[in-house]
Amino acid sequence: MSNLVSFGYIVPELLLGAMAVILFLLSAMRRRNLLRKTIFPGLAILGLMAALSVLVNRTSGGIFGGDPGCISGCSLFFGLLATDPLADFFRILVISATTICVLISIGSPALPKGRTGEYHGLLLVMCLGMCLLSAANHLLMVYVAMETVSLCSYLLTGWDARKCRSREAGMKYVLFGGVASGVMLFGMSLFYGLFGDLSFQGLHLALQGSGALSGAMGQWAATLSVVFMFAGFGYKIAATPFHMWCPDVYEGAPTPFTALLSVGPKAVGMALILRFFYSIFLFPGSMETVIGASGQIPWLLLIGIVSAVTMTLGNLAALVQNNVKRLLAYSSIAHAGYILMGVTAGGQEGFEAVSLYMAVYLIMNMGAFAVVSLVEKASGSEELQVFRGLGKRAPLVALVMTIFLISLAGLPPTAGFIGKLYLFAALLERGGFWFLMLALVGVTNSVVSLYFYARVLKSMYMEKADTDLPTIPIRNPAAVTATALSFATLFLGLFWQPLATAARWSATLFH
Amino acid sequence: MITLQHYLVLSAIVFSLGVAGVLLRRNALVILMSVELMLNAANLALLGFARQLGDTTGQSLALFVMTVAAAEAAVGLALVLALFRGRGTVNVDEVRSLRG
């Protein structure tokens, strides 16, 4: 599709970019502090809501409906981006995640007062990058969008320059991230050399002939380049062995931003992995039959092994954590492993399960981090000790946290249970010995994960606080957001049909 | 005559140097420099392939990589500077307040 027509499809991104520029300009002007406190979050939410409404309007066929022939997907900007239900679903997810992040950032002590404008501007730019990444259909666009997300998240991780932890996390993140993007880029250059194109459709055509990879040498080079590229993708979703940055960065970053960091990049990373592997290596329309030469690249095996190892390592490491932020970091690594099960399963069911789980994970994980942010604000720490006696001190907050933890553990009647159900169902649907083994690993891991979620519960309800810990104020935006998210977790656990319908709609990939 | 092989061998050497630097050196600034080496190795391979294929897409990616690498260096240096102001060191082994 030509450039001029394509602009009609990236209106949400344009709105986010424009609002980010407005925020940067406003924060450069010196105005009264009173104004600053409320205007920046307000403007950020305005921009996000405008982008979200345009997006929802288009997907439901409103005035921004675009070309009706484009329902199942079109390429934009001569193949740089793709617009299809998968991209739209994940764009809606990341815009919602950023909105929740803005809401729980209000009044957080982890964010320096003087720089609110830049903080929100960077959040919007990061959201813009995530939107582009979920629609990226060309390796050039993948690289640029991924770096947009990364650069903003490096800065926001080190945002609290008063704290050693935040600065240290920022530095570690930038070093790990630089290495990961370097390795990914080297993989891209090899892939480009082997198949002579960077756009996914061009690569798909190049791979179609079974003679595209001649001999063992070509096969090795192609496998190596896919592994290198997967290093970059895996780093974004915090999959083993590229997860080392994750616990340190989550612990050091300001808690409201950690909430976004644990969900946004992971969601778009999953969208990218789905799009990359399934639109290059498979026949258009079919979700399972690989084309010509890509049968020689063991990519499905790679994703399956990474999935099993990621969830096992994440859960085992989470068992011994005493800092709740760190515990949730390891739990988010484990969740990346669970979601990769859906990617491995592939097919209509696999795509559906990934989209559904990602939405559920967004709600429960951001909710859990919102509660941690509340507790941290009141007691200045997020160690497990400060959660002691929370059931007595702040019954509502403890109840909300309980719902999130039960959902993260995947127990009914919460949304997390439905999400896991869809993932396992997708694997069983696929059949085959190795897929069943992967499902078995997943079930075992879910059981193991019960232990460390229960540890937090035990601390909240069974243990008495050592000293007089403060109660937790609940009349603020963060607490209201957390409560709303806990309602959503329960509601989707009982009435998941609307979400399942949306997930089924999202399982369409542009070819 | 400089062929594609020459480009690729040089690129592989530069990439290995970058990886070795990241793994062996403990100074945050040197690690950032090694990351730049890795990016440049990828650029070199891209340009070599683009020349051989007679295709300009690889060259345009290399241009984007250079721009983004500059932005990444700016962000990386800012964070290392903030760390240095607080700690007085840029050695990554001495920076360890975050531990599991």
Side-chain angles (χ1 to χ4, degrees):
Chain A
M1 209 181 273
S2 75
N3 285 344
L4 213 57
V5 185
S6 300
F7 270 110
Y9 286 89
I10 59 157
V11 174
E13 281 88 345
L14 294 176
L15 285 171
L16 289 174
M19 191 50 91
V21 171
I22 291 175
L23 283 169
F24 286 132
L25 287 178
L26 274 182
S27 59
M29 287 187 233
R30 295 208 159 264
R31 282 274 178 276
R32 283 241 228 75
N33 269 341
L34 188 70
L35 189 68
R36 199 170 270 183
K37 214 172 157 186
T38 50
I39 197 169
F40 289 127
L43 280 178
I45 289 184
L46 184 71
L48 288 161
M49 282 301 112
L52 190 65
S53 48
V54 169
L55 206 53
V56 171
N57 182 294
R58 185 176 74 229
T59 53
S60 54
I63 42 167
F64 293 99
D67 182 7
C70 204
I71 298 285
S72 62
C74 284
S75 80
L76 304 181
F77 298 104
F78 300 106
L80 274 182
L81 292 173
T83 172
D84 54 16
L86 185 82
D88 284 341
F89 186 85
F90 278 91
R91 283 199 266 187
I92 292 174
L93 280 193
V94 293
I95 294 177
S96 320
T98 314
T99 314
I100 296 172
C101 175
V102 172
L103 285 174
I104 51 185
S105 301
I106 297 173
S108 166
L111 304 167
K113 288 272 186 299
R115 301 227 164 267
T116 334
E118 287 97 331
Y119 174 78
H120 289 100
L122 282 173
L123 275 185
L124 289 192
V125 176
M126 186 176 163
C127 184
L128 165 72
M130 292 193 288
C131 288
L132 287 178
L133 190 55
S134 59
N137 196 36
H138 191 283
L139 287 177
L140 169 63
M141 198 65 224
V142 169
Y143 178 72
V144 173
M146 198 178 265
E147 288 299 307
T148 312
V149 180
S150 294
L151 289 179
C152 295
S153 37
Y154 301 151
L155 285 170
L156 291 171
T157 300
W159 200 246
D160 195 359
R162 301 161 301 179
K163 279 207 189 112
C164 277
R165 289 198 317 174
S166 182
R167 288 191 302 237
E168 182 184 332
M171 190 205 67
K172 281 185 174 167
Y173 200 15
V174 84
L175 294 182
F176 275 117
V179 174
S181 69
V183 172
M184 179 183 77
L185 201 66
F186 198 67
M188 282 182 183
S189 70
L190 290 181
F191 213 59
Y192 171 66
L194 283 169
F195 302 111
D197 209 328
L198 286 170
S199 82
F200 289 6
Q201 271 65 49
L203 289 168
H204 178 80
L205 288 178
L207 269 158
Q208 233 161 27
S210 52
L213 287 176
S214 51
M217 190 68 187
Q219 191 186 344
W220 271 106
T223 308
L224 189 72
S225 63
V226 168
V227 169
F228 275 15
M229 277 188 277
F230 197 78
F233 306 164
Y235 153 82
K236 270 270 148 279
I237 61 170
T240 314
F242 320 107
H243 69 281
M244 285 93 77
W245 58 275
C246 182
D248 286 356
V249 169
Y250 283 16
E251 189 187 339
T255 314
F257 178 64
T258 310
L260 179 62
L261 196 60
S262 69
V263 169
K266 210 181 284 274
V268 288
M270 289 295 171
L272 172 64
I273 289 175
L274 284 180
R275 189 183 296 284
F276 180 80
F277 288 107
Y278 285 89
S279 73
I280 293 183
F281 291 163
L282 296 187
F283 273 112
S286 105
M287 288 265 195
E288 275 164 34
T289 331
V290 292
I291 54 162
S294 50
Q296 297 173 38
I297 306 170
W299 56 279
L300 200 58
L301 183 72
L302 176 79
I303 302 177
I305 291 174
V306 167
S307 161
V309 175
T310 302
M311 58 184 145
T312 313
L313 258 173
N315 278 325
L316 289 183
L319 292 176
V320 293
Q321 299 305 322
N322 285 316
N323 180 306
V324 178
K325 247 167 132 182
R326 234 181 147 74
L327 186 148
L328 285 176
Y330 280 110
S331 126
S332 88
I333 295 174
H335 280 274
Y338 296 142
I339 301 169
L340 280 177
M341 288 196 307
V343 179
T344 317
Q348 177 77 26
E349 289 80 15
F351 272 59
E352 213 178 303
V354 171
S355 296
L356 188 118
Y357 201 85
M358 215 56 243
V360 167
Y361 172 76
L362 183 156
I363 295 169
M364 59 194 184
N365 211 50
M366 290 201 88
F369 273 111
V371 174
V372 174
S373 174
L374 279 174
V375 173
E376 188 193 14
K377 187 181 171 187
S379 43
S381 155
E382 68 281 335
E383 295 290 325
L384 204 53
Q385 291 111 308
V386 303
F387 280 77
R388 282 185 188 160
L390 203 68
K392 280 227 179 82
R393 278 185 289 143
L396 180 71
V397 178
L399 179 69
V400 164
M401 187 64 169
T402 308
I403 294 171
F404 293 135
L405 290 175
I406 290 177
S407 182
L408 283 167
L411 296 178
T414 54
F417 172 70
I418 304 299
K420 282 234 175 82
L421 201 65
Y422 270 76
L423 283 176
F424 289 125
L427 270 181
L428 297 183
E429 186 81 19
R430 186 69 189 266
F433 177 71
W434 291 109
F435 293 102
L436 294 181
M437 286 308 285
L438 186 58
L440 198 65
V441 174
V443 172
T444 318
N445 266 292
S446 300
V447 176
V448 172
S449 74
L450 273 179
Y451 173 76
F452 59 84
Y453 294 123
R455 265 185 76 203
V456 182
L457 288 183
K458 177 170 160 262
S459 181
M460 287 197 303
Y461 287 105
M462 319 276 268
E463 288 171 13
K464 279 207 177 110
D466 305 332
T467 50
D468 287 333
L469 286 165
T471 59
I472 291 163
I474 49 170
R475 284 190 189 168
N476 54 43
V480 174
T481 314
T483 317
L485 289 173
S486 73
F487 274 120
T489 309
L490 277 183
F491 180 79
L492 290 174
L494 299 170
F495 308 99
W496 63 90
Q497 212 50 49
L499 188 59
T501 316
R504 186 164 309 131
W505 160 76
S506 81
T508 311
L509 199 59
F510 167 67
H511 260 291
Chain B
M1 176 65 189
I2 299 172
T3 61
L4 177 65
Q5 272 75 23
H6 292 90
Y7 282 109
L8 292 184
V9 169
L10 179 61
S11 150
I13 292 174
V14 175
F15 187 75
S16 317
L17 282 176
V19 173
V22 166
L23 294 177
L24 300 177
R25 299 297 293 266
R26 298 290 71 172
N27 184 314
L29 289 173
V30 179
I31 297 181
L32 276 178
M33 280 157 59
S34 308
V35 170
E36 296 293 314
L37 274 186
M38 290 164 75
L39 293 178
N40 283 332
N43 271 349
L44 209 56
L46 276 172
L47 292 177
F49 283 129
R51 203 183 85 152
Q52 193 225 12
L53 294 163
D55 178 56
T56 52
T57 337
Q59 298 193 6
S60 57
L61 177 54
L63 274 176
F64 274 91
V65 172
M66 285 193 279
T67 321
V68 173
E72 193 167 331
V75 170
L77 285 177
L79 285 166
V80 171
L81 190 66
L83 191 79
F84 180 73
R85 282 199 181 134
R87 294 291 184 86
T89 178
V90 287
N91 188 317
V92 288
D93 280 342
E94 289 170 28
V95 181
R96 50 168 75 180
S97 60
L98 297 165
R99 268 291 152 99

